[in-house]
């Protein structure tokens, strides 16, 4: 498909800053109406994760599934507790452009509207992820030059659409394999590690102010994968590629939270980038017991303390809100109960622990 056709289909011409904000307002008004106004006012005075984090100049965020925003209790918790949100899936390339040129921004716009109507930061997740590309890209047999042009075009379109709306992007997600080698796939195989700088530069060209991150897991302790990411940030900085931050996903097992975390955060920050915990959860072998929930609470406290120990750690985000909708049970059978709210949306011991860590 030629570039002009992609641009027109992507809606770039109608979705610049003012238009998307206007669309966002309309969706928000329709979806929430004035009903949210009163509870929000009341909650502003009470303790919440976001108010506790704000005392220390941090945000507290959560990943959001727009399909669940229709549930009043989910919506209420998302608005009351969190000052930043990340779409769990809605901004991923495979959902935004499932077929070439067939852009679908509905779910992503819905999350953007929700964030705006609640005064929350919006974290864009994610632009490129080798493991979860749309099938037409993964199977596309593009030449390196064509793939480079496609990356530049796609990244440019998505970042421009949310210019001034998304405050930070996970530009590249999970570039490394667990052994510290590069994650293989069509991007790496065609372009080598250059695909990362290509994407960063395209994102910067589309929004000069959005913070540009690389997001990775299993780098929260010392080891080959941490070294690989560290060296990548060093080399991107050295080459002048625009890299502003490192996101540590932090999918942990309660009781095995890496004690290296504060040191790892400090090492990245010392390279001159922001750091943040992007996808925190602490899974427990089911059924959870009062002991395992207490252990989990201490681990949540440790993660918040770790972030607070590093000036450039800008905030903490959990990967979901309540245990009812977490990705954990389906990906790690036998595990669950990983978040701060239980299946009924009630705060768990970890909730109080996280808040008290910010307030001490
Ligand atoms: O929406 C479709 C639905 O239409 C279809 O019928 C169904 C059939 O499989 O799939 C649905 O999409 C699923 C989607 O979640 C929404 O539920 C995808 O198959 C499934 O792969 C997708 O999983 C997501 C995964 O990333 C891959 O994109 C998880 O929800 C999401 O929690 C997970 O999040 C990742 C972060 O992005 C990166 N770090 C790790 C983290 C956990 O894996």
């Amino acid at each position: 498909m030629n570039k002009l056709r992609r641009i027109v289909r992507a809606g770039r011409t109608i979705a610049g800053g003012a238009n998307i904000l206007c669309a966002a307002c309309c969706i928000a008004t329709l979806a929430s109406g004035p009903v949210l106004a009163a509870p929000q006012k009341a909650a502003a005075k009470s303790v919440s994760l976001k108010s506790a984090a704000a005392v220390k100049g941090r945000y507290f965020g959560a990943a959001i599934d727009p399909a669940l925003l229709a549930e009043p209790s989910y919506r209420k918790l998302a608005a009351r507790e969190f000052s930043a949100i990340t779409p769990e899936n809605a901004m991923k390339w495979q959902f935004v452009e499932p077929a070439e040129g067939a852009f679908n921004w509905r779910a992503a716009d819905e999350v953007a509207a929700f964030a705006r109507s609640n005064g929350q930061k919006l974290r864009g997740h994610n632009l490129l992820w080798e493991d979860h590309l749309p099938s037409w890209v993964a199977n596309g047999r593009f030449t390196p030059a064509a793939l480079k042009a496609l990356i530049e075009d796609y990244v440019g379109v998505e970042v421009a659409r949310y210019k001034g709306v998304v405050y930070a992007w996970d530009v590249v997600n999970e570039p490394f394999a667990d052994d510290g080698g590069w994650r293989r796939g069509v991007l790496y195989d065609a372009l080598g590690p250059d695909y990362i700088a290509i994407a960063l530069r395209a994102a910067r060209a589309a929004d000069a102010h959005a913070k540009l991150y690389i997001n990775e897991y299993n780098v929260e302790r010392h080891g080959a994968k941490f070294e690989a990411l560290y060296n990548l940030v060093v080399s991107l900085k050295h080459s002048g590629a625009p890299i502003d931050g490192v996101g540590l996903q932090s999918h942990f097992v309660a009781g095995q939270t890496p004690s290296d975390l504060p040191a790892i955060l400090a090492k990245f920050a010392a390279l001159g980038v922001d750091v943040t915990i992007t996808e925190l959860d602490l899974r427990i072998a089911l059924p959870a017991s009062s002991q395992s929930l207490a252990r989990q609470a201490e681990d949540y406290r440790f993660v918040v303390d770790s972030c607070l120990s590093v000036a450039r750690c800008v905030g903490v985000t959990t990967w979901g809100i309540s245990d009812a909708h977490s990705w954990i049970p389906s990906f790690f059978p036998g595990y669950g109960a990983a978040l701060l709210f239980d299946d009924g949306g009630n705060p768990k011991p970890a909730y109080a622990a996280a808040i008290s860590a910010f307030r001490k």
Side-chain angles (χ1 to χ4, degrees):
M1 179 174 298
N2 74 41
K3 191 165 178 179
L4 180 62
R5 218 164 129 222
R6 278 178 54 84
I7 290 169
V8 171
R9 289 223 192 159
R12 185 188 276 172
T13 49
I14 56 157
N19 286 325
I20 182 118
L21 290 186
C22 174
C25 294
C26 297
I27 296 167
T29 310
L30 284 174
S32 63
V35 195
L36 270 184
Q40 267 173 16
K41 258 189 197 158
K45 292 196 189 88
S46 60
V47 176
S48 60
L49 292 163
K50 68 180 178 189
S51 64
V55 170
K56 291 288 180 358
R58 300 329 201 263
Y59 64 77
F60 205 100
I64 296 289
D65 177 353
L68 298 172
L69 287 173
E71 285 179 21
S73 56
Y74 182 90
R75 211 178 166 81
K76 191 171 152 194
L77 271 183
R80 191 187 75 204
E81 294 291 338
F82 301 99
S83 43
I85 61 177
T86 305
E88 183 172 354
N89 290 308
M91 286 186 171
K92 292 172 180 171
W93 196 354
Q94 67 177 142
F95 294 104
V96 163
E97 195 184 5
E100 187 174 6
F103 291 90
N104 179 357
W105 302 105
R106 195 192 49 76
D109 284 358
E110 217 174 309
V111 180
F114 184 79
R116 181 175 162 75
S117 69
N118 291 293
Q120 296 160 315
K121 286 176 180 290
L122 178 62
R123 182 177 191 86
H125 174 86
N126 54 59
L127 294 169
L128 295 185
W129 183 5
E130 191 80 89
D131 270 4
H132 289 271
L133 293 167
S135 54
W136 65 271
V137 178
N139 305 324
R141 299 180 183 279
F142 295 95
T143 64
L147 193 58
K148 176 173 183 281
L150 182 63
I151 289 171
E152 288 170 337
D153 183 52
Y154 174 72
V155 169
V157 164
E158 182 153 6
V159 174
R161 184 178 182 85
Y162 297 104
K163 182 178 179 177
V165 174
V166 163
Y167 95 99
W169 280 102
D170 291 328
V171 177
V172 175
N173 193 49
E174 302 175 11
F176 292 107
D178 275 346
D179 65 0
W182 294 98
R183 186 173 293 274
R184 302 298 297 268
V186 292
L187 306 178
Y188 181 83
D189 290 349
L191 298 164
D194 288 353
Y195 84 87
I196 295 171
I198 290 167
L200 288 166
R201 290 186 202 280
R204 179 65 95 231
D207 185 347
H209 301 296
K211 299 275 189 190
L212 307 181
Y213 277 70
I214 293 175
N215 191 44
E216 188 53 280
Y217 71 98
N218 281 355
V219 288
E220 302 88 355
R221 66 186 85 227
H222 291 101
K225 202 171 181 183
F226 159 71
E227 296 290 338
L229 181 58
Y230 185 89
N231 292 335
L232 172 62
V233 175
V234 169
S235 85
L236 289 169
K237 286 278 213 185
H238 187 69
S239 68
I243 172 80
D244 301 312
V246 169
L248 305 182
Q249 293 186 9
S250 307
H251 295 293
F252 298 142
V253 180
Q256 297 172 33
T257 298
S259 57
D260 292 356
L261 183 60
I264 297 280
L265 287 164
K267 284 183 180 177
F268 282 120
L271 295 178
V273 293
D274 288 342
V275 286
T276 188
I277 306 290
T278 49
E279 304 184 14
L280 179 62
D281 45 33
L282 283 145
R283 58 187 181 271
I284 287 175
L286 297 174
S289 63
S290 55
Q291 286 90 337
S292 60
L293 290 170
R295 175 69 256 172
Q296 180 188 54
E298 285 318 301
D299 286 2
Y300 266 100
R301 182 194 305 279
F302 173 75
V303 174
V304 171
D305 283 344
S306 300
C307 182
L308 292 177
S309 72
V310 175
R312 291 197 75 156
C313 182
V314 295
V316 174
T317 292
T318 54
W319 204 240
I321 297 178
S322 82
D323 295 336
H325 306 297
S326 162
W327 70 295
I328 292 290
S330 55
F331 282 73
F332 296 98
Y335 283 84
L339 290 164
L340 294 172
F341 296 89
D342 69 15
D343 285 338
N346 306 301
K348 293 158 63 182
Y351 173 86
I355 287 188
S356 75
F358 282 116
R359 297 177 101 197
K360 71 168 193 266

